Amino acid sequence: MSKDKKVIVTGNQGFIGVWLTYKFYKLGYKVYGIDNRSSYGERLFDKAKLDNIVTKQYNEDISDIEKMKLIISEIEPDLIINMAGQAIVPRAFEQPHYTFMTNAVGTLSILEAAKSTKNTKSVICITSDKVYENVSQIWGYRETDKLGGKDIYSVSKSTAELISSCYARTHLSENGINIQTVRLGNVVGGGDWSVNRLIPDLMNSIQQKTNFYIRYLKATRPFQHVLDVVDGVYKISMASLENQLESGDCWNLGPKNNSYEVVENVIAMCKTIWPEVKILQNENNIKEDLTLSVDVSKLKHRFGEPKYESKEAIQKTFNWYRAYYDGNTHLIDLIEKDFETYEDKNEII
């Protein structure tokens, strides 16, 4: 059944996009990728030579609405997953206009382009847990909490949420396209070599034998494993395709038990494997909210609980990089092993 289904994944060559694309590829979908390769750092997509997992690749900016209309009308996909975005907070401070155009206007372009299709049944818009108006509460934010943001990254993502909501209620309400938004936290897993992300920066520092400059040791984040993200997005996508969800709904994706981890604990876990890493405090920090966690009760009730708590997700990620840098395992084998382990119901964690 899946072999005749078409899915567009924007940002398919990014860290999360690769794992999501691989999931649909394994299931027999025809996957079409849109990625302008504007993110910084090395890519798992290139290192693992994964060109064969996409039916066709487009190198375009999703904020270019005319290009999106042409591509989406040409493919006529059943499903669109808008994973593309500028996801690095420090870069958002340096490039606020680009960040807003990609995250907010890009979402608008994808949804507007979907109006011209005949076969598209669902659009999944990936946003962030930073869409919430952060009031430094100690309990996890729920989907019903107020949206907002103090910085352009947060505002660009909360705007994308508002755009998705108005298209679900008004601009695409008569087209029969089901729209869902999915809010991700700090996603970790093997194969992320992005710049200005905690674990990738740690790995780069270790490999290059350079000092690692930390922004906020006391910051808390809902670290979630990439395969929990892939599983959640996939389940929401399937329910959306079957119109089993109300269009315009939103979902927190986070770690098991609404867990989170403190950055200094992540550093300590890293040092148990790589004790030589040198940690220094960055004195020119950007302004970030230090406390953040999300409530995944809604996801758990509808689709089941994520498999990994934050600490487990981080440990699995460090183990993945250790296996890779030890040189005994090929990247494809590491990817396949992670999928097999995740799908094994008898997995011992």
Side-chain angles (χ1 to χ4, degrees):
M1 181 177 177
S2 299
K3 66 180 180 179
D4 298 321
K5 298 288 186 181
K6 298 178 183 179
V7 56
I8 290 177
V9 179
T10 72
N12 68 296
Q13 295 187 14
F15 161 55
I16 306 171
V18 165
W19 287 90
L20 185 65
T21 299
Y22 202 88
K23 168 77 171 181
F24 279 97
Y25 166 74
K26 282 168 61 71
L27 291 172
Y29 280 77
K30 292 182 179 178
V31 186
Y32 297 81
I34 304 175
D35 197 313
N36 68 350
R37 296 177 62 89
S38 61
S39 60
Y40 301 153
E42 294 182 293
R43 296 168 179 269
L44 178 60
F45 187 88
D46 298 335
K47 283 176 170 285
K49 300 178 181 178
L50 295 175
D51 301 80
N52 65 307
I53 70 174
V54 293
T55 301
K56 189 172 182 179
Q57 183 71 50
Y58 298 85
N59 185 356
E60 301 291 349
D61 187 333
I62 62 167
S63 65
D64 187 331
I65 187 170
E66 296 306 322
K67 289 283 180 63
M68 293 306 102
K69 285 180 178 179
L70 286 172
I71 292 170
I72 292 173
S73 61
E74 173 187 309
I75 297 169
E76 284 285 346
D78 300 273
L79 170 67
I80 301 170
I81 303 177
N82 184 28
M83 182 72 66
Q86 198 300 95
I88 307 300
V89 175
R91 186 178 176 186
F93 278 82
E94 297 170 0
Q95 300 176 341
H97 182 268
Y98 174 75
T99 298
F100 191 85
M101 288 296 292
T102 301
N103 295 347
V105 179
T107 299
L108 177 63
S109 296
I110 293 295
L111 290 169
E112 184 64 20
K115 288 169 65 176
S116 62
T117 66
K118 298 177 182 177
N119 295 331
T120 302
K121 300 178 180 65
S122 171
V123 180
I124 311 296
C125 297
I126 307 300
T127 64
S128 166
D129 56 11
K130 293 181 177 63
V131 299
Y132 296 110
E133 184 68 41
N134 195 314
V135 293
S136 298
Q137 64 188 34
I138 59 173
W139 57 88
Y141 291 91
R142 296 185 176 183
E143 289 86 350
T144 52
D145 285 335
K146 182 181 178 181
L147 302 182
K150 302 181 183 113
D151 61 89
I152 198 67
Y153 175 75
S154 300
V155 169
S156 71
K157 288 296 189 178
S158 57
T159 301
E161 289 273 353
L162 295 172
I163 290 170
S164 299
S165 177
C166 79
Y167 265 76
R169 290 182 297 171
T170 307
H171 300 285
L172 279 176
S173 61
E174 296 180 358
N175 291 58
I177 298 177
N178 190 290
I179 300 171
Q180 304 291 313
T181 60
V182 180
R183 301 165 180 174
L184 307 184
N186 287 57
V187 184
V188 297
D192 187 3
W193 283 283
S194 305
V195 176
N196 278 322
R197 270 200 196 122
L198 178 58
I199 291 180
D201 283 352
L202 275 169
M203 295 301 100
N204 288 332
S205 176
I206 291 163
Q207 294 305 307
Q208 297 169 15
K209 297 183 166 86
T210 57
N211 294 332
F212 176 78
Y213 289 89
I214 191 70
R215 296 204 297 270
Y216 295 104
L217 277 171
K218 299 297 183 181
T220 66
R221 293 291 183 265
F223 294 98
Q224 58 188 305
H225 196 271
V226 66
L227 286 182
D228 270 330
V229 171
V230 168
D231 186 62
V233 171
Y234 173 73
K235 287 175 178 176
I236 292 168
S237 297
M238 295 303 100
S240 179
L241 278 172
E242 297 298 324
N243 212 27
Q244 296 173 355
L245 306 174
E246 182 180 355
S247 187
D249 209 348
C250 54
W251 304 84
N252 282 339
L253 257 63
K256 183 179 179 180
N257 294 329
N258 300 329
S259 57
Y260 56 86
E261 196 53 80
V262 183
V263 168
E264 67 178 344
N265 292 342
V266 179
I267 300 295
M269 292 169 68
C270 177
K271 282 190 170 185
T272 63
I273 302 174
W274 296 281
E276 70 277 11
V277 63
K278 297 178 181 178
I279 309 297
L280 298 176
Q281 184 70 47
N282 189 341
E283 297 179 357
N284 298 311
N285 285 329
I286 60 174
K287 294 181 179 179
E288 294 183 76
D289 292 308
L290 299 187
T291 304
L292 180 61
S293 64
V294 294
D295 190 306
V296 296
S297 300
K298 181 178 176 180
L299 177 81
K300 177 182 176 180
H301 178 74
R302 180 64 176 80
F303 296 106
E305 191 169 40
K307 287 197 173 181
Y308 302 122
E309 292 188 351
S310 284
K311 186 175 182 178
E312 296 163 337
I314 294 162
Q315 190 62 62
K316 284 184 68 68
T317 300
F318 283 140
N319 291 341
W320 196 98
Y321 283 105
R322 178 168 58 180
Y324 173 66
Y325 286 122
D326 283 349
N328 299 323
T329 311
H330 294 298
L331 282 171
I332 292 294
D333 293 333
L334 284 170
I335 293 169
E336 284 285 355
K337 183 180 178 181
D338 263 15
F339 271 107
E340 290 170 7
T341 303
Y342 190 85
E343 292 161 4
D344 182 1
K345 292 181 181 180
N346 299 316
E347 177 189 4
I348 299 174
I349 300 175

